[in-house]
Amino acid sequence: MAADQAGSGEHVITIDDVNGLATELKKSIADDSLFRPLKCCIFRVPTILSRHNENAYVPNAFSIGPFHYMKQPVMQATQKIKLRYLKGLISRSQPSPGIDDESRLKDFINAVGRHLEVALEYYAEPVSMSLKEFTHVLVVDGCFLIELFRKKAYKDLRDENDPIFKTSCLLQFLHNDLILLENQIPWLVLDTLFQLTKDTSIDKKTLVQLAIEFFGNIFSTTQPPVQPHDLDKLKGTKHILDLLRSSLVCFSNMYNAKIPWKPMPSASRLKEAGVKFKKAKDSKSILDIKFSNGVLEIPPLLIEETTEPIFRNLICLEQCCPGYEAAITSYAILMDNLINTTTDMDILCDSGVVQNWLNVEDATKFFNQLYTDTYVKENYYLLLAAQVNRHCKRHWPRYRTVLMRDYFNHPWALTSVIVAAFLVVCTFLQTYYSIVK
């Protein structure tokens, strides 16, 4: 209730209303959902990021987890594929004779159920499902994923009419849908089901290896596989997207420096300044960029249709999840510095640094808006950019580049330079002998 303040015409709130409002606010701030648990790492993409390309965050055919469960008609069809994979996994992973399918399913449900409370903490908002339905989603999607990874690694597990590996478009959809931030389930669930269905006669690789190998060349066609001794660096994985990010960050030699950020010149300007571009060999991460003696060594990057979604979702993960360093965002900024025009893109493609499967104009625009509306507290290429900029300020590399371009790039130009130099020497000698006489 409100009461008029005498003589002033102003309104004040009575003490009763203040007490009521205070009581309501007290109830609101007591809500446990206001405090995100430390495990929280699966988010709805904020509008400020999704508005730049909404399709980059939405699954095309396969829903994984609760956020997009059965939202599109096509997902009802792919749900049958998941159930088919679940049935195949059950029939192959019977621990002993006489165990029927229902008993095996109970094993899966009970194993996932023991982690249900922790699994819920991975999601940034309340899951709008009953616990029964949520468990159903985790069991079906989890078994589907580990069976998918196994079939990719072990071809003998695929039957003659496998709906995924016999249909190219479905495999392409999966490469896109499984890397979406909103389309994730906790790695804890995957690992639990993997250990429960493990067959020592078949499973020679860890779940981490299987997952990374499934995506294989998502970043580069020449990226080497993860070796067993590298697996310790990938412990603590939260979900598939987090694993792919960790596989880039952990295997790079990125280092930070407390110096002001200054953008790096474009590839064409660097070339004019005498900088050479070289494709890095045997690099385990596209982030591992180095500069030495005028050579910028960059691991090859594959640009195709799925490249934008993977980068946008990785950047969104860094922006939304507490404790994540802006490593992928820094890489996007650096590449945007290098690529301003189609000429820049041609330079990087010619040197093997970029493997472009798109139209050159589309590939050029790729990085221009990739990190718009993001925040980078510390750019992890500060020192690299400073080294390159310092090199560009030196005069000799630039002069040498101009000399090679204008006078030594053609036999006739080289001949004219030699003749001119010969005439200068002859003129000098003639003048010298005239003075001596």
Side-chain angles (χ1 to χ4, degrees), residues 77-107:
T78 56
Q79 188 72 10
K80 295 180 180 179
I81 297 177
K82 295 181 190 177
L83 294 174
R84 176 173 173 173
Y85 269 46
L86 173 60
K87 183 177 181 179
L89 179 61
I90 291 174
S91 63
R92 201 183 65 251
S93 63
Q94 301 289 2
S96 60
I99 303 295
D100 59 14
D101 290 355
E102 185 174 350
S103 298
R104 195 63 176 136
L105 283 170
K106 288 180 181 178
D107 293 338

Side-chain angles (χ1 to χ4, degrees), residues 303 339 345 354 356 358-367:
I303 298 181
I339 304 171
M345 178 59 69
V354 171
N356 179 33
L358 302 179
N359 178 282
V360 66
E361 286 80 11
D362 293 338
T364 301
K365 297 175 183 177
F366 172 72
F367 282 104

Side-chain angles (χ1 to χ4, degrees), residues 131-257:
L131 291 179
K132 179 181 178 181
E133 190 175 16
F134 183 54
T135 304
H136 172 274
V137 169
L138 293 183
V139 170
V140 173
D141 290 355
C143 289
F144 166 68
L145 289 174
I146 60 177
E147 185 74 346
L148 176 70
F149 295 158
R150 281 181 173 131
K151 286 188 175 186
K152 176 65 164 58
Y154 313 120
K155 295 182 179 180
D156 293 340
L157 299 182
R158 309 174 196 171
D159 58 52
E160 185 176 352
N161 299 313
D162 188 283
I164 291 178
F165 292 95
K166 293 295 182 178
T167 310
S168 298
C169 67
L170 288 182
L171 201 57
Q172 182 74 5
F173 287 152
L174 280 165
H175 276 93
N176 177 82
D177 293 349
L178 298 189
I179 52 85
L180 306 180
L181 179 57
E182 296 182 358
N183 219 32
Q184 301 293 321
I185 60 175
W187 186 263
L188 173 66
V189 172
L190 290 177
D191 191 56
T192 297
L193 292 170
F194 179 77
Q195 298 301 330
L196 190 62
T197 60
K198 194 170 184 179
D199 186 342
T200 55
S201 64
I202 297 175
D203 291 299
K204 306 301 181 182
K205 299 177 181 180
T206 67
L207 181 58
V208 169
Q209 285 178 291
L210 293 176
I212 291 179
E213 289 180 9
F214 175 81
F215 293 98
N217 300 324
I218 193 170
F219 297 110
S220 173
T221 58
T222 59
Q223 189 172 358
V226 176
Q227 301 300 324
H229 60 269
D230 291 326
L231 297 179
D232 288 341
K233 297 180 180 180
L234 298 174
K235 287 183 177 179
T237 293
K238 298 177 180 179
H239 45 68
I240 291 174
L241 182 64
D242 177 63
L243 174 65
L244 293 177
R245 180 186 177 277
S246 297
S247 69
L248 296 177
V249 176
C250 293
F251 299 137
S252 70
N253 294 315
M254 297 178 66
Y255 41 85
N256 198 3

Side-chain angles (χ1 to χ4, degrees), residues 264-275 277 338 340 344 347 392 398:
M264 188 182 293
S266 65
S268 54
R269 292 188 60 188
L270 289 178
K271 185 177 180 180
E272 291 176 357
V275 174
F277 296 92
L338 289 175
N340 287 333
D344 299 321
I347 291 173
C392 291
R398 186 181 301 275

